[in-house]
Amino acid sequence: MGRRTRCAVAVGVVTLLAVFPLVGVGPYYIRLLNLAGIYVILTLGLNFCVGMAGQISYAQASFFGIGAYASALLTLKTGVSFWAALPLSALVALVFGVLLGLPSLKVGRYYLAIVTIGFSEIVRLVLLNWKEVTYGAEGVKNIPVPTIGTFTLNTDLRYYYLVLTIVLFAVFVSIRIVHSRIGRALHAIRMSDLAAEVMGVNTRYYKILAFALSAFFGGLAGSLIAHYDTYLHANSFNFMESAKILCMLFIGGSGSIEGPIIGAVGLTLLPEWLRFLKDYYMAIYGVGVVLLMGVMPSGIRSLIPQLARFVQRLFTNKQRAVRSEH
Amino acid sequence: MRTILQAEDITVRFGGLVALNGINLSVQEGQIHALIGPNGAGKTTLINVLSNVTTPTTGRVTFNGEPITGLPAHSATEKGIGRTFQNILLFAGATVLENVMIARHCRTKYGLLEAILRTRNVLNEEETVCQKALQELEFVGMADKASTIAGNLDHGGQRLLEIARALATEPSLLLLDEPSAGMNPQEVNTLMDLILRIRGRGITVLLIEHNMQLVMGIADVVTVLNFGEKIAEGTPKEIQNNKDVREAYLGRGIQYA
Amino acid sequence: MVIQLIVNGLAMGFIYALAALGVVMLYNALGIVNFAQGEFATLGAFIAYSLIAEMGVPYPLGFVVTVMIVAAAGVLFERIVYRPLRHKHFLTVIVSTIGVMIFFREFERIVWKPIPRFFPDIFEGRLITIGNVVIVPQHVFIIGVALVLMVSLYLFLNKTSVGAKMRATAQDQETASLMGVDVEKMIVLTFVISACLGAIAGVLFAPIFFITIDMGGTVGLTAFCASIIGGFGSIPGAICGALLLGLVEVFGAAYVSSVYKPAVAFMLMIAFLMFRPRGIFGEKVSVKV
Ligand SMILES: Nc1ncnc2c1ncn2[C@@H]1O[C@H](COP(=O)(O)OP(=O)(O)O)[C@@H](O)[C@H]1O
Ligand SMILES: [Mg+2]
């Protein structure tokens, strides 16, 4: 694809996304789309660390939580506006990301997995018990809704455009990073830590950078959820939440841009389409993850080329059919 | 002649095992310097020390007069020490071109913010990355394989790609660990020619080799290691006639010819 | 008071030790860490609850049947999860294990409903009193059963021919297979033993707290921490690490605060990784180029 066509496709997709909720989609679905968008940001973030750099992290939900709490408490206690709290909370999460990145320099694989689980458990317990700051087990209530002048983002539809903006930002940043020396360096670390280092990649710096970027995106998503739900509880940011984001990443296809988007949107909407499964949904989901990792370890994304070929064949067949009619 | 690399009193211990024992080595600029010795002699360990992959238990290495011991491996690469691996260590899942492009990392400078904004500078640097990577592939004769997945190359191709990748880091000293291992005689001839052309670019070469024909054919200096000790050093002729060297090889009943 | 705490801490420690043994055996044999290990404990606790508390099966029989059922789950796990992923990337294996965890938990939620279950005390609330020291018999029972199991496992691995074959498989699968060991069978056996150890830990643990869906997850993660503290791959290390964690948790909760009890294991583990990465008994790992 040339630069022109790529730009045209991008403009088309953005327009579609902007117009889509206006045409007869109920508020309930818009809420789902908002959640899907927030998970896209989380999953694209986790993609830096796990997908690109190959460093396992069970801590994405913690950065989500840290961002959410930071944003909520900043607006509630210091009175800054949401628009300042959004980047600030992402930066707070980023600092914690750097902190969690440090052990990844010393340990890898299973050790790193358990360290990140430990980190997220400690974060959750601190959020749950540090009553003076976080309101402890009561949770944070009455988080202000963002406003632009006198315009309040108090409906699902209004919030949709805020989420969409941040999602587009996250996608844009991800694309730019993947196709740069930074993306190549992260990718190299995933393939071989040692080879990357010997090829001149400062693997220590880039591992920490990967964690920092993951955390930054996690923080953005956290700020968005805090001011959308207006209520927070520490227990939402637990191990299973991190596991869910990891599943989104791998089911979609890690290391790419489209994979995390497919995974996050798909797994947020799927329960709606599979409502008839009721209580069995999650159990089937668990089995699905196991089976998918067995047969399609690069995720749903690996179907895209086949799908493209299929569509192409469909079109050529149609043309042939049309031609033969004449 | 100028000394480009100086290793003094290098000792490496792995637990109780002494892999290198007080090795001194000096490599002169512009030469092809061969490092030979039986298996387990400590040759790879020495290369690991020189490329800062392994920190020696004692001893120091200076490169262009500057001490480099204890620095991370990527700074050695930045300073101009490139290397290949005995057990091929490619980015097997990436294409041949991507492998070489990754190696341009330390010769590009732009940071995160610039990458996101994709400034003019970024575009220029990226273009150079691509050009230089293709140039190196051309140089080793693999330009036609640029989009092949590295893991799918044959053995000889993988060894050549490792060299192209190391060259792309713009080294002034290139360390080659058994580059001819697993190559057929024809490929070895191409390799000999390639090493001479690398030297022709002004790059000093230190290579570990078991193929004596190659060593005797192109090396200016040969250093012999045995059981972690340096047992001889000299021109290929001198080494061929050295009694200790013959014993070291024949004593183990291994023929290298 | 102190003696009571020691007994309590050791009891907890032995539960972690059983689970940790399962983890280390799998790791030594196959080089994988099964993050779903703790789920075998939860499953064991729930099944034992149904058999013993609901259906009135006598405790010893219920115990044995439970362990057999969980062993079967271990075989299924090997077949369905581990085998297809044997040569896949480490991250793929990790995500697949998350799938297993979700499945186990949801299965339990469907069968036993998300209500905490209270496992009846087989000692019917009796206490052992020696002088002015009061000891909970379940704690003594846990320590006894765990010790017997550990000794049996040791004898099995070191004194029987099957044990020798298992060790050979753990050392080097190719060589073992050349020597005529049925490697596949030994791998399944390793999974079975590891699942059984988890189940036993779960049944022993059940009367101490409520049985919940998260119960085993906590035991499993603590067991990992214990094996890292002990020096990953070392069996005596895992046991010592587990006992240490049991004691620190109990004493910490008694004298400092119980709020952060769930994090104690992690904090201790992170401290070890930072300052003594080889653990109490482990050897330093180095990568060969
Ligand atoms: N990381 C390591 N840990 C332990 N022993 C090692 C390590 N690397 C090399 N050795 C040992 O050091 C000795 C020298 O090895 P090496 O340098 O690879 O020899 P060569 O390359 O000359 O064949 C050998 O006995 C080898 O087993
Ligand atoms: Mg060698």
Side-chain angles (χ1 to χ4, degrees):
Chain A
M1 256 197 286
R3 205 184 151 77
R4 278 267 172 86
T5 24
R6 257 183 303 167
C7 274
V9 169
V11 170
V13 169
V14 172
T15 316
L16 203 69
L17 286 172
V19 176
F20 174 62
L22 298 174
V23 286
V25 181
Y28 179 71
Y29 267 94
I30 296 180
R31 177 171 169 78
L32 274 182
L33 287 178
N34 286 341
L35 292 178
I38 289 172
Y39 278 107
V40 167
I41 301 166
L42 283 168
T43 313
L44 278 173
L46 186 63
N47 191 35
F48 286 115
C49 173
V50 182
M52 296 195 210
Q55 306 297 303
I56 181 74
S57 165
Y58 273 100
Q60 192 64 354
S62 305
F63 298 129
F64 192 26
I66 290 170
Y69 268 82
S71 195
L73 297 176
L74 272 171
T75 47
L76 281 173
K77 298 205 170 178
T78 69
V80 301
S81 84
F82 164 80
W83 306 106
L86 175 73
L88 281 177
S89 53
L91 286 176
V92 171
L94 180 140
V95 171
F96 281 93
V98 171
L99 206 68
L100 183 64
L102 292 173
S104 77
L105 307 180
K106 288 195 108 168
V107 299
R109 302 204 149 199
Y110 297 109
Y111 290 82
L112 186 58
I114 190 98
V115 169
T116 58
I117 293 173
F119 169 85
S120 60
E121 190 62 8
I122 292 168
V123 168
R124 188 183 63 85
L125 287 170
V126 169
L127 291 179
L128 194 60
N129 292 302
W130 195 11
K131 288 197 186 63
E132 300 76 25
V133 177
T134 65
Y135 304 104
E138 270 178 46
V140 189
K141 295 182 197 105
N142 303 323
I143 303 166
V145 172
T147 54
I148 308 169
T150 54
F151 185 75
T152 317
L153 302 183
N154 56 358
T155 66
D156 290 310
L157 185 61
R158 289 174 185 180
Y159 216 81
Y160 174 85
Y161 290 101
L162 172 62
V163 173
L164 181 62
T165 311
I166 308 294
V167 167
L168 291 177
F169 168 77
V171 173
F172 176 78
V173 169
S174 293
I175 291 178
R176 284 284 163 94
I177 290 179
V178 168
H179 299 290
S180 73
R181 68 193 282 265
I182 295 151
R184 280 195 299 270
L186 295 178
H187 198 202
I189 292 173
R190 174 182 173 139
M191 291 185 281
S192 166
D193 206 319
L194 178 65
E197 179 79 22
V198 168
M199 289 307 118
V201 176
N202 184 346
T203 53
R204 298 167 145 258
Y205 170 78
Y206 282 100
K207 279 182 190 173
I208 291 188
L209 182 71
F211 274 94
L213 286 169
S214 287
F216 186 84
F217 278 37
L220 285 180
S223 178
L224 285 179
I225 197 77
H227 298 270
Y228 186 38
D229 282 350
T230 68
Y231 171 75
L232 287 178
H233 195 280
N235 283 347
S236 343
F237 308 104
N238 59 13
F239 172 80
M240 286 320 269
E241 183 73 7
S242 287
K244 184 168 139 188
I245 304 169
L246 265 171
C247 286
M248 288 177 170
L249 178 62
F250 278 82
I251 285 176
S254 71
S256 63
I257 306 291
E258 63 279 14
I261 299 175
I262 296 171
V265 175
L267 286 181
T268 314
L269 298 182
L270 200 61
E272 286 313 306
W273 300 329
L274 299 180
R275 265 211 186 151
F276 62 92
L277 291 174
K278 298 208 181 86
D279 287 348
Y280 298 95
Y281 169 74
M282 278 306 282
I284 293 171
Y285 170 76
V287 175
V289 171
V290 175
L291 293 182
L292 200 73
M293 287 298 105
V295 296
M296 216 189 285
S298 341
I300 306 266
R301 178 178 82 92
S302 50
L303 289 179
I304 292 179
Q306 287 173 30
L307 205 70
R309 259 199 305 276
F310 179 74
V311 170
Q312 206 176 7
R313 210 173 317 141
L314 218 64
F315 271 100
T316 46
N317 280 351
K318 220 176 243 168
Q319 277 173 2
R320 227 174 277 149
V322 171
R323 238 178 278 143
S324 62
E325 266 174 34
H326 286 275
Chain B
M1 230 182 304
R2 197 176 69 91
T3 303
I4 185 166
L5 180 100
Q6 180 91 41
E8 290 163 79
D9 193 29
I10 302 291
T11 297
V12 174
R13 289 199 193 88
F14 294 113
L17 181 104
V18 183
L20 288 176
N21 193 6
I23 297 286
N24 291 300
L25 181 78
S26 123
V27 179
Q28 307 306 313
E29 192 169 34
Q31 290 203 322
I32 295 177
H33 192 137
L35 196 57
I36 66 170
N39 273 324
K43 306 180 296 294
T44 298
T45 306
L46 184 55
I47 289 237
N48 286 346
V49 169
L50 301 182
S51 57
N52 279 359
V53 169
T54 302
T55 310
T57 316
T58 65
R60 45 188 249 127
V61 180
T62 47
F63 180 64
N64 284 327
E66 199 185 338
I68 59 165
T69 321
L71 293 179
H74 70 89
S75 352
T77 312
E78 244 160 67
K79 289 184 191 302
I81 301 177
R83 73 165 286 180
T84 65
F85 293 89
Q86 180 181 349
N87 316 315
I88 297 168
L89 200 62
L90 288 170
F91 303 112
T95 67
V96 166
L97 182 63
E98 280 164 351
N99 266 273
V100 188
M101 282 170 74
I102 290 169
R104 294 293 306 168
H105 183 87
C106 58
R107 301 298 166 222
T108 44
K109 290 283 164 304
Y110 67 84
L112 185 65
L113 219 57
E114 274 182 287
I116 293 169
L117 299 175
R118 193 169 286 169
T119 57
R120 185 111 294 270
N121 178 33
V122 171
L123 293 173
N124 289 342
E125 282 198 9
E126 280 298 304
E127 202 176 317
T128 321
V129 165
C130 223
Q131 269 173 11
K132 292 262 182 176
L134 283 169
Q135 262 171 30
E136 295 304 350
L137 284 178
E138 191 104 29
F139 185 76
V140 302
M142 295 185 77
D144 54 326
K145 302 222 172 63
S147 50
T148 311
I149 299 292
N152 295 343
L153 290 173
D154 59 22
H155 193 85
Q158 297 197 356
R159 292 239 177 253
L160 287 182
L161 177 54
E162 276 225 341
I163 296 178
R165 202 175 60 164
L167 285 172
T169 66
E170 293 182 13
S172 49
L173 170 67
L174 182 62
L175 313 173
L176 301 174
D177 196 345
E178 304 200 12
S180 81
M183 282 188 174
N184 62 37
Q186 199 186 340
E187 286 173 323
V188 173
N189 278 334
T190 322
L191 176 70
M192 271 169 81
D193 172 60
L194 177 62
I195 295 173
L196 289 171
R197 284 192 295 129
I198 291 173
R199 198 246 311 259
R201 280 165 61 169
I203 298 170
T204 311
V205 178
L206 174 66
L207 84 154
I208 297 178
E209 246 324 314
H210 280 317
N211 187 320
M212 284 305 141
Q213 194 196 335
L214 193 155
V215 171
M216 297 307 156
I218 62 172
D220 301 305
V221 189
V222 180
T223 299
V224 190
L225 292 188
N226 193 21
F227 291 119
E229 314 249 1
K230 180 156 124 183
I231 58 167
E233 190 166 72
T235 62
K237 267 246 156 57
E238 288 165 1
I239 295 300
Q240 261 175 327
N241 300 326
N242 186 307
K243 223 176 75 220
D244 290 342
V245 176
R246 289 194 167 172
E247 260 169 37
Y249 276 102
L250 298 177
R252 293 198 179 187
I254 306 166
Q255 291 267 339
Y256 292 96
Chain C
M1 178 69 177
V2 173
I3 294 177
Q4 257 161 274
L5 289 178
I6 290 176
V7 174
N8 187 356
L10 285 179
M12 290 305 299
F14 272 108
I15 283 171
Y16 297 146
L18 290 178
L21 278 180
V23 171
V24 172
M25 277 185 66
L26 264 189
Y27 179 76
N28 285 350
L30 306 167
I32 61 158
V33 172
N34 178 14
F35 276 91
Q37 178 72 13
E39 305 305 319
F40 290 121
T42 323
L43 188 65
F46 273 117
I47 293 174
Y49 171 81
S50 281
L51 288 174
I52 296 162
E54 288 185 339
M55 293 156 69
V57 177
Y59 186 81
L61 181 65
F63 202 140
V64 172
V65 172
T66 299
V67 172
M68 279 162 60
I69 296 174
V70 177
V75 175
L76 283 181
F77 182 86
E78 196 272 341
R79 277 290 151 87
I80 298 171
V81 185
Y82 171 69
R83 228 178 250 192
L85 292 175
R86 207 179 288 187
H87 303 292
K88 294 263 163 68
H89 194 268
F90 139 87
L91 288 169
T92 313
V93 178
I94 286 236
V95 174
S96 185
T97 339
I98 293 177
V100 174
M101 267 165 70
I102 294 174
F103 173 75
F104 267 95
R105 286 168 189 235
E106 291 306 316
F107 174 77
E108 286 150 9
R109 208 190 298 277
I110 292 165
V111 176
W112 287 281
K113 308 285 175 288
I115 314 161
R117 303 294 173 132
F118 200 68
F119 196 89
D121 181 4
I122 49 167
F123 300 98
E124 289 159 352
R126 276 187 293 256
L127 294 171
I128 303 170
T129 326
I130 306 162
N132 54 0
V133 181
V134 182
I135 292 170
V136 183
Q138 179 72 19
H139 291 162
V140 182
F141 180 63
I142 289 171
I143 297 173
V145 172
L147 280 174
V148 169
L149 268 175
M150 285 173 186
V151 172
S152 326
L153 192 63
Y154 175 83
L155 292 177
F156 169 74
L157 286 174
N158 291 289
K159 305 283 181 216
T160 68
S161 67
V162 180
K165 283 180 192 164
M166 273 185 72
R167 280 185 298 129
T169 307
Q171 285 274 314
D172 182 348
Q173 290 189 11
E174 238 166 81
T175 315
S177 143
L178 286 177
M179 293 188 321
V181 176
D182 186 346
V183 170
E184 298 290 315
K185 219 181 243 166
M186 292 306 126
I187 291 177
V188 176
L189 191 58
T190 312
F191 269 95
V192 166
I193 294 181
S194 145
C196 289
L197 287 168
I200 295 168
V203 180
L204 290 174
F205 190 49
I208 300 185
F209 289 109
F210 291 108
I211 310 171
T212 65
I213 287 162
D214 296 318
M215 177 191 109
T218 316
V219 173
L221 289 179
T222 312
F224 290 128
C225 294
S227 24
I228 290 177
I229 290 171
F232 216 60
S234 154
I235 287 182
I239 297 172
C240 289
L243 296 182
L244 178 71
L245 276 185
L247 290 168
V248 171
E249 274 187 9
V250 169
F251 276 86
Y255 290 109
V256 190
S257 150
S258 65
V259 167
Y260 288 97
K261 187 177 154 218
V264 165
F266 291 117
M267 291 196 264
L268 218 60
M269 171 206 64
I270 291 171
F272 261 89
L273 280 179
M274 290 286 138
F275 301 112
R276 196 184 155 78
R278 66 187 78 173
I280 305 175
F281 283 94
E283 286 176 19
K284 191 167 184 195
V285 274
S286 72
V287 185
K288 211 179 157 197
V289 181

